[in-house]
Amino acid sequence: MHPVSPDALLASYREALAHTNALTDRISTDQFSARYPERPDWAIGPFVRDESLTFRLDGQWPDPTGVGWTSDSVYNPTVIVRDDELHLFYRASPRKESTASRIGHAIRRAGAWEDSPANPVVFPTVENEALGCEDPKVYAIDDRYVLFYNGIWRRDDGSVAVDILCAVSDDLENWEKRGLVVPYEVSEYWAKGAVIPRDEHGRAVRIDGEYLMFLSEGCGGRSTVGRSPDGLAWSFSEQPYLDLTALGGSLFEVACAAVRGDDLVLDFFYADAHGDFAAAQALYRVDDPFTQLAVNRGGSLAWGGLQAIDGRWSFAQGWDAPPGSRELYFYKEVAA
């Protein structure tokens, strides 16, 4: 893969500055996660905002690409705890839900957030990241951390492609890019959602001796699952695993997979029977991860995965920040 050109980065940035989308601009976290019509024992949530954990990004990062890049929105983060410190990885964009994104890192120490002086920790450096690096998902896998993210780029025919890429780290601060995860013969140049079953501590969970990855958007419309012995080398095959018949509507994307005891809960984003945005969760057993046992409307849409904070399932999101305000809000599960 060749380095990305400054002209391509500048064109991407200018396009992002003009971005607006009336549908995604009105999304609120509470419309999906604050109330569930029903709350079976296995469901995770509903959630309430914890104002004490709000993250605010001040100032603008230096732009290592030299095109004058800035951000006005932060969202779609992942959270993981290491040595009693809360690590936050988030998408920063010139406009909410635009391309030309970068990935930032902040650490909460002694009750206060510190944005990393190394930001952006992931930014476009090669051609298949020319339109941005988006939506981080971090997992503790064996003795290291693996960060999966989307690389956005434009093919020679002008169409937009989305790759799942990864980087590795021993300390959550220094990252080495490892490149493409899903080969093009599987993704057909569009794959999103590197969703790996994850426990409350952010650790990827082995199932029958291997790690699983649920792909739900792209791959030619095929329901696809990846398998890996180490979280880095993956093989993929078609594998149905989600049935929306009881809800009606159609799937957009699986957001995360949470393991709690013997339960595996997939949290997903879909269009309901009326065509409205909605969230839901589906129940499986860890030892039978493709046999759906139940489904329930309401979910977190925690794109980076659910994490225990102060003993409660939690996540962060920036959808509800006022326009031009770079804030991320934290949400904790309401006690039963």
Side-chain angles (χ1 to χ4, degrees):
M1 188 65 65
H2 298 292
V4 63
S5 73
D7 287 347
L9 291 170
L10 181 58
S12 169
Y13 176 53
R14 288 174 173 170
E15 181 180 346
L17 289 175
H19 174 83
T20 184
N21 186 315
L23 286 176
T24 56
D25 285 350
R26 66 174 172 80
I27 286 177
S28 169
T29 300
D30 283 344
Q31 77 187 73
F32 305 110
S33 64
R35 291 169 297 278
Y36 295 180
E38 298 180 7
R39 190 181 184 183
D41 291 342
W42 60 266
I44 302 175
F47 296 84
V48 63
R49 189 186 298 185
D50 182 347
E51 301 284 359
S52 70
L53 291 175
T54 296
F55 168 76
R56 296 178 178 88
L57 178 61
D58 298 319
Q60 291 289 346
W61 303 331
D63 175 22
T65 68
V67 300
W69 182 92
T70 59
S71 65
D72 87 341
S73 185
V74 294
Y75 53 101
N76 289 5
T78 188
V79 179
I80 192 167
V81 174
R82 178 175 184 263
D83 297 335
D84 297 323
E85 294 178 340
L86 189 59
H87 289 255
L88 174 70
F89 294 85
Y90 56 91
R91 174 177 172 181
S93 297
R95 296 290 183 268
K96 183 180 176 182
E97 296 290 350
S98 75
T99 55
S101 297
R102 314 286 189 258
I103 293 173
H105 175 218
I107 306 173
R108 189 171 177 84
R109 297 186 174 105
W113 286 107
E114 300 175 14
D115 203 49
S116 172
N119 282 333
V121 292
V122 178
F123 61 92
T125 57
V126 291
E127 288 176 334
N128 68 339
E129 299 172 340
L131 295 183
C133 300
E134 304 180 350
D135 298 352
K137 299 177 188 291
V138 174
Y139 303 90
I141 297 182
D142 298 331
D143 58 351
R144 65 187 156 212
Y145 300 93
V146 182
L147 165 67
F148 296 89
Y149 63 98
N150 295 331
I152 316 298
W153 56 290
R154 199 177 303 278
R155 300 175 65 191
D156 291 342
D157 64 5
S159 62
V160 173
V162 181
D163 290 345
I164 293 177
L165 308 173
C166 80
V168 297
S169 174
D170 294 326
D171 59 8
L172 288 172
E173 298 193 57
N174 301 287
W175 293 92
E176 175 193 353
K177 289 184 178 181
R178 292 292 185 92
L180 188 67
V181 175
V182 185
Y184 294 129
E185 59 267 25
V186 174
S187 72
E188 297 187 18
Y189 295 93
W190 192 286
K192 279 189 174 184
V195 173
I196 298 171
R198 187 180 193 253
D199 69 12
E200 70 272 22
H201 305 294
R203 299 178 299 219
V205 175
R206 289 183 185 270
I207 295 178
D208 197 21
E210 60 188 359
Y211 298 109
L212 300 180
M213 180 187 293
F214 294 86
L215 301 181
S216 53
E217 183 178 332
C219 299
R222 299 179 300 275
S223 182
T224 300
V225 169
R227 293 172 171 82
S228 174
D230 60 2
L232 294 177
W234 293 88
S235 60
F236 296 89
S237 60
E238 187 171 356
Q239 173 63 66
Y241 59 82
L242 188 58
D243 182 2
L244 272 62
T245 302
L247 296 172
S250 57
L251 179 67
F252 287 130
E253 187 177 350
V254 174
C256 62
V259 173
R260 179 172 55 185
D262 293 329
D263 288 348
L264 169 64
V265 177
L266 294 189
D267 189 294
F268 60 92
F269 183 38
Y270 74 105
D272 68 14
H274 304 290
D276 294 328
F277 290 159
Q281 296 176 350
L283 173 67
Y284 308 77
R285 302 289 288 179
V286 170
D287 59 3
D288 191 4
F290 310 129
T291 301
Q292 183 175 314
L293 301 176
V295 67
N296 188 64
R297 179 155 179 163
S300 69
L301 298 188
W303 303 111
L306 290 160
Q307 168 76 40
I309 301 176
D310 301 327
R312 291 159 61 187
W313 286 105
S314 305
F315 68 98
Q317 185 53 273
W319 286 340
D320 291 297
S325 176
R326 293 173 300 165
E327 297 180 342
L328 286 166
Y329 306 118
F330 278 72
Y331 300 82
K332 290 184 175 179
E333 185 177 25
V334 176

